[in-house]
Amino acid sequence: MLLYTLSLYSTVSFYFIVLGKSELGEGIRRTGALAEELDELLPLLPVHEPVLLIGHSYGGLCAQHFARSHPLMIKALLLVDSTSVNLHRLDDLMLPVMDADDDAAWLETCRIYNEKTSEELKDLIAPACVPGLPTLLNERLEDFQWNPLMYAAMYSEVTWWKEDAMIMKNGPGFPQIPLTVVARDKEYVIRQEDGLPEWEKRIFETLWEKLMYEQSELTDDSRFIIAEESGHAVHLEIGPMSSWKPFII
């Protein structure tokens, strides 16, 4: 999901296709397609001035694409544990247990889920329930995870994200705009009891944090912040902004 903070403190939440009531369309979901959809959407709101753009995870990769392709529409950018344009470097790590859940495994899961009905997915996937969220929002989260089309969209995104990242790296340069990069807390993630070897998690999280820090080097006007006691779902796990700290490697 991408969020846009506009003038007069307006906020627009831009959901990926099929996460709301939209259809999958042509079925090919790539960062460039989402950037163009956003470019078409903003004038319809209407928004005719630069925006503060916020992107989390894969949404951060899409936000970087939009910033590069439409620099005049960006006032500032906030990346929250965002996918890096150098995500291919994670593939070079030799992590036997974690490698069993690589892109290929997730693509196969998406393919299987896309062929199921919503009712069948309810039997396979436990309901998502986020403590503190209103009941209506939790119900919408359940609708998302039980929508077969969402997995078709994710299949396309994962299939193309490394190529899209290379397109970005070899395309227009990153604009000189204010940039804040928020990364998850490496030590917090490593402490979690998830069945993964601690040594594997430490190697992976060390590189992930480095990739996050490298994003802050995209502009001269940037900040790098560690979201203490937070994993990848920073927006759900982190406390008040006073608990975030600047981090210098």
Side-chain angles (χ1 to χ4, degrees):
M1 183 172 68
L2 299 178
L3 301 177
Y4 307 92
T5 304
L6 313 175
S7 63
L8 303 179
Y9 304 100
S10 302
T11 301
V12 177
S13 178
F14 179 54
Y15 287 82
F16 288 173
I17 200 165
V18 312
L19 290 186
K21 301 296 184 180
S22 57
E23 298 295 329
L24 185 57
E26 64 181 10
I28 299 177
R29 305 305 306 156
R30 302 185 64 167
T31 58
L34 191 139
E36 292 309 311
E37 289 165 1
L38 178 57
D39 183 52
E40 294 174 4
L41 172 65
L42 289 176
L44 299 177
L45 292 178
V47 176
H48 303 292
E49 60 188 275
V51 300
L52 165 60
L53 181 58
I54 305 174
H56 169 251
S57 191
Y58 177 75
L61 189 64
C62 296
Q64 292 176 65
H65 195 133
F66 186 81
R68 290 172 183 270
S69 59
H70 300 82
L72 297 181
M73 286 301 299
I74 298 292
K75 182 177 182 179
L77 181 62
L78 170 57
L79 299 176
V80 183
D81 217 40
S82 166
T83 302
S84 166
V85 294
N86 291 311
L87 77 161
H88 66 278
R89 285 160 56 186
L90 295 167
D91 295 338
D92 297 333
L93 301 178
M94 301 299 292
L95 308 174
V97 177
M98 296 182 71
D99 286 347
D101 191 25
D102 60 6
D103 285 357
W106 179 236
L107 285 172
E108 179 62 13
T109 297
C110 289
R111 185 191 66 78
I112 293 172
Y113 285 1
N114 179 48
E115 295 174 352
K116 303 292 184 182
T117 65
S118 294
E119 293 301 315
E120 289 173 330
L121 288 177
K122 290 179 182 179
D123 294 332
L124 292 172
I125 305 172
C129 182
V130 179
L133 282 185
T135 300
L136 178 59
L137 291 183
N138 271 315
E139 290 175 349
R140 289 183 177 179
L141 285 176
E142 293 174 359
D143 290 339
F144 293 164
Q145 69 179 147
W146 294 332
N147 181 357
L149 289 179
M150 184 181 76
Y151 298 98
M154 294 178 73
Y155 185 96
S156 182
E157 291 164 0
V158 175
T159 296
W160 294 104
W161 62 5
K162 290 188 176 74
E163 182 172 325
D164 288 343
M166 293 306 298
I167 290 173
M168 273 183 261
K169 289 184 65 175
N170 296 323
F174 201 86
Q176 285 297 319
I177 55 176
L179 169 66
T180 298
V181 177
V182 178
R184 64 189 184 226
D185 185 337
K186 174 179 66 178
E187 296 301 328
Y188 172 83
V189 174
I190 293 171
R191 290 198 308 269
Q192 302 311 299
E193 297 292 339
D194 50 18
L196 296 173
E198 180 179 339
W199 71 269
E200 288 196 13
K201 291 195 291 183
R202 184 163 298 280
I203 290 174
F204 184 91
E205 291 300 321
T206 297
L207 179 54
W208 180 271
E209 186 177 274
K210 181 175 177 57
L211 293 176
M212 296 304 99
Y213 182 76
E214 289 175 356
Q215 290 176 342
S216 69
E217 298 176 324
L218 289 170
T219 75
D220 297 330
D221 182 7
S222 68
R223 293 188 304 150
F224 179 63
I225 299 173
I226 294 291
E228 292 184 340
E229 298 299 306
S230 174
H232 184 56
V234 176
H235 55 298
L236 299 177
E237 300 173 0
I238 194 61
M241 282 298 296
S242 59
S243 66
W244 298 23
K245 68 177 181 181
F247 186 85
I248 301 176
I249 294 180

